Amino acid sequence: MSLLITGGTGYIGSHTVVELLNTNQDVVIVDNLANSSTKSLDRVEQITGKKATFIKADICDKEAMREVFKAHDISGVIHFAGLKAVGESTQIPLSYYHNNVSGTVVLLDVMNEFNVKNLVFSSSATVYGENNTSPLVETMPTSATNPYGQTKLMIEHILFDLAKSDPDWSIISLRYFNPIGAHASGLIGENPNGIPNNLLPFVSQVAVGRLKQLQVFGDDYDTIDGTGVRDYIHVVDLALAHLKAVAALPKLPGCTAINVGTGNGTSVLQIVNKFKEISKVDIPYQISPRRPGDIATVFAEAKLAHEVLGWQAERDLTDMISDTWRWQSENPNGFE
Ligand code: NAD
Ligand code: WQD
C-alpha cells in the first residue's frame, strides 16, 4: 500500500516525503510543478537513499487522478497541492478557487470512487480570521480575509460536510501556523519564485545578498517590540505531525481540525536578531508601514495535537534559523 502525496515536490511536501521514506512508507507523489521542481526529488533521494514514485499531473485533471488510483494501491492521501500566495490570490482569485477548491473536490471525488477515505489536509491558521485573540483554539469561530484564506475555509467546510455524510471517512485538517526552517542536511528547503512574500525567505535572501534590505511591516503594534508576532514552526516538526496524523486516522472517524504550532510567539525583530546572531551576517532593515491585512499577534494553543496525535514541536527557534541559514547559504539560488 502507498500513501499519495499531492504537492509532494513543494516545500512542506518534500520534507514530509523524507520522513515517510525514512519510515519505509511507499510514497506516490502527484504534483504539476506549478511552484516546484523535480530537483527536490533528487535531493530527497540523496537524503533517504530511497525513491518516491513521481507522477506529473494536475489534481484538477480527473482522468489523470483516476489513472493514479488505478495504477497504485493507495491507502490514504496527504493533500498539500495548492496555490498559497495571499497577495496573488487577491489578483487572480478565480485561479485560487479553481486550483484549490475545485482541485480538492476532484481529488475527493476520485478518492470516493476508489473507496480511499483517509485524508490529511493542509489547512492554515489563516482560517481563524482577524477577530479571535491568541492563543487560537480549534473551537474558535473561523473566517477569512482574502481569497487564499477563503479557499482553505471552504475546503474545511467541504471536508466537514463530507465526513458527516459518510462515516467511513477519516479526515484530519492540520492548521499550520508559520512553517520555516529546512532539513538539517541543507539539501532541501523553501525555494520561492520571485520576491518572497514571507518573512524568513526574505530575511535569508537579504543575508545572502540577493535582496538589499528587509522592510519591517510596522513597529507600532501592541507587542513586545511593536513588530508582528507569529508562531513559527520548524518544517521538519510539521512534517512529523503529518506522520502522526496518518497514524491517528484509523481511530479518528469524522473530520477533525488540529493546530500545528509551538504555542510560542516571536516578533519580527526577534527573528532578525536571531538570524544575525546565527549567520553572523548583518540584516539591514527599514521600518515601513503596516502591511494591509496583518494582525499584531498570532499563536496557537497546541494542546489538541498533543492529546489527539501525541505530537508536539521539538525544534526551537535556534534550530529553525540555523537550518534555514544552512539551506540558504549552501543553496543561494535555491534548487537552480
Ligand atoms: P509549495 O508551493 O511549496 O507546495 C505546493 C505544491 O503543490 C507545489 O509543489 C505545487 O507545484 C503543487 N501544486 C499546486 N497546485 C497543484 C495542482 N493543481 N495539481 C498538482 N500540484 C499542484 O507550498 P508549501 O509551503 O509546501 O504548502 C503546502 C500546502 O500547505 C499548501 O496547500 C499551502 O496552502 C499550505 N500551507 C502552507 C503554509 C506556508 O506558510 N508554507 C502555511 C499554511 C498552509
Ligand atoms: C510574518 C510577519 C509580517 C514579510 C502568511 C499567510 C498565512 C500562512 C503563513 C499559508 C508578519 C512580517 C513579513 C516582510 C515583514 N500561509 N513581515 N516583512 O503573514 O503571518 O502568514 O504565511 O497559509 O496564511 O498569511 O507570514 O511570513 O508573511 O509574515 O515585516 O517582508 O513578518 O508583517 O508580522 P504571515 P509572513
Side-chain angles (χ1 to χ4, degrees):
M1 301 286 271
S2 299
L3 273 179
L4 171 62
I5 315 298
T6 73
T9 53
Y11 172 46
I12 305 167
S14 58
H15 287 82
T16 305
V17 169
V18 164
E19 300 306 324
L20 289 167
L21 293 175
N22 280 341
T23 57
N24 297 318
Q25 172 68 52
D26 287 326
V27 170
V28 175
I29 295 172
V30 166
D31 200 301
N32 66 357
L33 305 179
N35 195 38
S36 54
S37 99
T38 51
K39 294 200 177 112
S40 73
L41 294 170
D42 302 335
R43 298 287 181 89
V44 164
E45 193 181 343
Q46 210 177 321
I47 295 168
T48 62
K50 294 177 191 140
K51 237 183 155 90
T53 302
F54 173 68
I55 299 159
K56 182 170 186 266
D58 194 307
I59 56 161
C60 300
D61 181 345
K62 199 167 201 171
E63 270 319 307
M65 294 308 290
R66 283 196 176 114
E67 291 307 316
V68 172
F69 280 79
K70 262 186 221 158
H72 301 277
D73 193 7
I74 305 289
S75 58
V77 178
I78 307 180
H79 177 32
F80 294 105
L83 299 174
K84 64 163 183 178
V86 171
E88 184 185 63
S89 79
T90 65
Q91 311 293 317
I92 47 167
L94 291 181
S95 300
Y96 274 69
Y97 288 114
H98 176 70
N99 195 75
N100 293 6
V101 181
S102 307
T104 300
V105 172
V106 169
L107 171 70
L108 294 170
D109 257 343
V110 176
M111 289 176 71
N112 230 343
E113 225 175 281
F114 286 81
N115 204 32
V116 177
K117 297 185 176 177
N118 293 311
L119 175 74
V120 178
F121 171 63
S122 298
S123 187
S124 166
T126 192
V127 302
Y128 290 108
E130 53 191 3
N131 299 321
N132 293 303
T133 303
S134 291
L136 299 171
V137 187
E138 289 85 347
T139 47
M140 283 175 168
T142 51
S143 64
T145 54
N146 57 68
Y148 166 74
Q150 289 288 2
T151 69
K152 292 292 169 190
L153 195 51
M154 284 177 172
I155 294 167
E156 281 206 355
H157 287 306
I158 291 168
L159 298 177
F160 281 113
D161 287 344
L162 178 63
K164 233 184 271 168
S165 75
D166 175 352
D168 289 345
W169 278 92
S170 290
I171 302 172
I172 295 178
S173 183
L174 294 179
R175 293 177 175 167
Y176 314 159
F177 280 67
N178 289 58
I180 62 168
H183 191 263
S185 63
L187 287 169
I188 54 172
E190 194 168 7
N191 185 35
N193 279 329
I195 308 279
N197 301 303
N198 295 113
L199 180 64
L200 259 293
F202 205 107
V203 169
S204 42
Q205 291 194 17
V206 170
V208 290
R210 276 175 70 179
L211 295 168
K212 282 244 161 337
Q213 70 171 4
L214 171 73
Q215 305 294 326
V216 173
F217 298 141
D219 68 347
D220 56 353
Y221 288 108
D222 183 16
T223 61
I224 179 169
D225 55 22
T227 64
V229 165
R230 296 293 182 270
D231 185 340
Y232 296 95
I233 168 87
H234 196 297
V235 66
V236 173
D237 278 329
L238 175 56
L240 292 169
H242 291 78
L243 272 68
K244 294 282 192 183
V246 169
L249 284 172
K251 56 175 194 321
L252 208 63
C255 179
T256 313
I258 302 178
N259 288 342
V260 187
T262 63
N264 304 315
T266 306
S267 77
V268 175
L269 288 181
Q270 286 172 330
I271 291 278
V272 169
N273 289 331
K274 193 75 179 173
F275 208 103
K276 277 189 196 170
E277 176 195 317
I278 287 170
S279 66
K280 306 200 168 40
V281 172
D282 189 31
I283 314 286
Y285 68 85
Q286 186 180 45
I287 306 295
S288 4
R290 292 179 177 195
R291 184 172 63 177
D294 272 356
I295 50 181
T297 300
V298 179
F299 63 92
E301 183 181 282
K303 271 205 299 234
L304 191 66
H306 192 231
E307 285 164 13
V308 175
L309 306 180
W311 172 91
Q312 62 188 9
E314 275 165 8
R315 289 159 182 79
D316 64 13
L317 195 64
T318 300
D319 301 320
M320 298 186 218
I321 307 266
S322 309
D323 291 338
T324 302
W325 177 236
R326 187 176 307 106
W327 156 251
Q328 188 71 64
S329 54
E330 290 176 8
N331 307 267
N333 297 310
F335 290 115
E336 281 81 54

